[in-house]
Amino acid sequence: MKKILATLFALLFYVCNMQAQMTDPVHFSSSMKLLGDDLAEIVFSATIDPGWHVYSTELGQDGPIEATFHAERLEGAELVGKLSPRGKVTEQFDEMFGMTLRFFEKQGAFVQKIRFLKPQYDISCYLEYGACNDEMCLPPTQVEFRKSGKSPVSEAKADKTDKAEEQDMIAETARPQDTIPVAEGDTVPSAQPVTEVSAQATGEESALWLPVTEELQAFEHGGTDGATSWWMIFLEGLLGGFLAILTPCVWPIIPMTVSFFLKRNKERAKAVREAVSYGASIVVIYVLLGLAVTLAFGASALNALSTDAVFNIFFALLLIVFAASFFGAFELTLPSSWSNKIDQKSEATTGLLSIFLMAFTLVLVSFSCTGPIIGFLLVAVSTQGNIVAPTIGMLGFAIALAIPFTVFALFPSLLKQAPKSGGWMNTVKVVLGFIELAFALKFLSVADLTNNWHLLDREVFVSLWIALFGLLGIYLLGWLKFPHDDPEHRTNVPQFFLGLISLAFAIYMVPGLWGAPLKAISAFAPPMNTQDFNLYDGSVEAKYTDYDLGMAAARAEGKPVMVDFTGYGCVNCRKMEAAVWTDPKVQDILNNRYVLISLFVDDKTPLPAPIVVTDVNGQQRTLRTVGQKWSYLERKKIGANTQPYYVLLDPTTGKPLNGLRSYDENIDEYVDFLKTGLKNFSVER
């Protein structure tokens, strides 16, 4: 048993320490395909990770980053037509952009036709594309293609083509003209010289551009969102386990099981060892269940679940079924043959295997009460997109469930003081049913937001939560009965206070119908921009969109800086601005106590001259636009390449004042993030 536990914890430790430094969800390859005669295709083929999509061509200026073809050098060849997508293209109307978007999922390709003009050719070009998932976007990314060699064009045909071009040139110079038309989507070789990177061009030699990834990791290791969320998941699992103990399927089994161990062993020490092994077996079984969920889905799939409409609707319906079971509509039970066979095998075996099989029998027998709690826990943590979360949640649940068996075996006299089974356990089940219904609405809300149905806007969501917690308070006060409740049961003192809290919580949410922030449920309710009737109006706008100018202004004002790595085509950046930045506390801090610098990584404004830099992976990269410059800064300084990302900096040293913050609509945590930066800035001063 010790070896099994050691192996499980070692595996868990290994998984917890696997962290991706950079996101690389799209994998492109480029090639040239000859079509016969003097035509060929340059093909850019993509393999796309689950949950991500690559936008197609010609989406319009107001849309996200579209795929475009850029020719730097075309010697002995010319472009034919426009860049075209090839493969299954998905079309979907996007409410945020107010337009229909086209994109590839899983795989796709872009093709640019060319015509050879001379026997020898030399081509240097690149594809620029944008990719997003439901939480973040990549900056405009380039896929380069370079090739030179012999073409199918003969010398005679090339001479004939040259003479025709010469005649055309003479005819062109004979008449005045203003511009030479270029096909939309095509580009001509740039006449701008490519220069080496300089401090004037990118500010790279300045301390403000130096990497701060180690300092950011120090903040992370000091107790950040990732570590905190794991502890929270463990505590949630622990709470779920304690609640499961109080249900009718588990509580009556505890004294029976402990008494069995004490009676069948004359030596109390051996009885205690068996009871402890029994508790350890429960931990092993549930941790294995968490590992099974982790391995079945994987990190990328769990991340995709967080905003997938189908899965969120499925989870919501699952929680509604669990709630109906707790209300007494029916019981969820596993086939009795399973528990009978396991019980028979436990009686036929001896030693630790017998104890393990007894624990497995408990898991099967108590499923009607523990199943909805386990299902709710796994649903909640799986949709956070964290590969470790299900295992950590099940570890907390199993430890809580195993504690009473171990404690009562060590101290049998406590059994006499434990409360007897009764109607209070049914009350626990009903309370859990109301809670599961409330969380089912959260998953329905995610599906509603993803598909822009507007069926569960904020005021509808808040209204339903008011009704649920109001009814829960009424039930706890004894004014509402369910089928399995005792008709003669009276409200006791703990129920009275719980009912009072539930009714007060329902009243607290009432102002939310008119736009009150409702900080207590901000992590669950739909964003404020879905509220139809809102008496509150607020906005935050960045004063600077240039990193160096913004840092200089912050030094002059003596304020810290928040750098917002964003994009014009970043949907989740707009969601953060609409749902979080409109909060009065956030708005006040950003407008009055920080200098906000928004750097758009998809800004296509050309730089004065292309810049060659050595990227973080050691490869040389050419920066041609302002957006590429800010994308390079994001990779170099904070070691990230997705948006949105928020980093708080000291404008004098360029050092971070807190850890990184990405897409998360929890307003309270965002306020804490900003306040911690202000505190650290004042300390440094």
Side-chain angles (χ1 to χ4, degrees), residues 327 427 430 434 471 474-491 495:
F327 289 152
T427 303
V430 172
F434 275 106
L471 288 172
I474 291 173
Y475 170 79
L476 290 171
L477 293 177
W479 301 336
L480 180 65
K481 298 289 185 181
F482 283 92
H484 52 45
D485 287 325
D486 183 0
E488 303 299 326
H489 178 70
R490 295 183 179 181
T491 301
Q495 282 183 224

Side-chain angles (χ1 to χ4, degrees), residues 312-376:
N312 275 278
I313 292 174
F314 172 75
F315 289 153
L317 294 176
L318 194 64
L319 292 181
I320 291 172
V321 171
F322 289 158
S325 173
F326 275 152
F327 289 152
F330 50 82
E331 283 195 5
L332 295 172
T333 57
L334 294 174
S336 58
S337 58
W338 293 11
S339 57
N340 292 336
K341 288 181 181 178
I342 298 296
D343 191 36
Q344 292 172 2
K345 289 185 178 180
S346 67
E347 293 178 356
T349 56
T350 58
L352 288 179
L353 180 58
S354 172
I355 302 298
F356 183 84
L357 292 174
M358 286 181 61
F360 202 81
T361 302
L362 168 71
V363 173
L364 297 178
V365 171
S366 62
F367 179 79
S368 61
C369 293
T370 60
I373 300 175
I374 295 170
F376 169 66

Side-chain angles (χ1 to χ4, degrees), residues 209-409:
W209 280 67
L210 293 177
V212 293
T213 51
E214 293 184 3
E215 290 87 343
L216 290 169
Q217 289 175 3
F219 278 110
E220 296 291 331
H221 294 157
T224 59
D225 295 340
T228 302
S229 64
W230 284 348
W231 274 111
M232 286 302 298
I233 290 170
F234 176 80
L235 293 176
E236 289 169 1
L238 203 67
L239 176 62
F242 285 132
L243 290 174
I245 292 171
L246 302 177
T247 59
C249 309
V250 178
W251 185 260
I253 297 177
I254 296 175
M256 295 170 53
T257 306
V258 173
S259 299
F260 170 77
F261 286 127
L262 294 176
K263 288 180 180 178
R264 84 168 188 170
N265 295 290
K266 295 181 179 180
E267 299 180 9
R268 186 171 182 277
K270 184 177 180 182
V272 170
R273 284 199 303 271
E274 288 191 352
V276 172
S277 300
Y278 185 78
S281 298
I282 293 174
V283 174
V284 170
I285 291 169
Y286 282 112
V287 170
L288 287 174
L289 176 61
L291 283 173
V293 172
T294 297
L295 297 175
F297 288 101
S300 58
L302 290 177
N303 185 62
L305 290 180
S306 61
T307 51
D308 184 86
V310 175
F311 276 101
N312 275 278
I313 292 174
F314 172 75
F315 289 153
L317 294 176
L318 194 64
L319 292 181
I320 291 172
V321 171
F322 289 158
S325 173
F326 275 152
F327 289 152
F330 50 82
E331 283 195 5
L332 295 172
T333 57
L334 294 174
S336 58
S337 58
W338 293 11
S339 57
N340 292 336
K341 288 181 181 178
I342 298 296
D343 191 36
Q344 292 172 2
K345 289 185 178 180
S346 67
E347 293 178 356
T349 56
T350 58
L352 288 179
L353 180 58
S354 172
I355 302 298
F356 183 84
L357 292 174
M358 286 181 61
F360 202 81
T361 302
L362 168 71
V363 173
L364 297 178
V365 171
S366 62
F367 179 79
S368 61
C369 293
T370 60
I373 300 175
I374 295 170
F376 169 66
L377 179 63
L378 289 177
V379 165
V381 300
S382 295
T383 53
Q384 294 185 16
N386 192 320
I387 191 173
V388 192
T391 306
I392 293 178
M394 284 297 95
L395 178 64
F397 180 89
I399 289 175
L401 201 63
I403 284 176
F405 293 96
T406 306
V407 170
F408 286 134

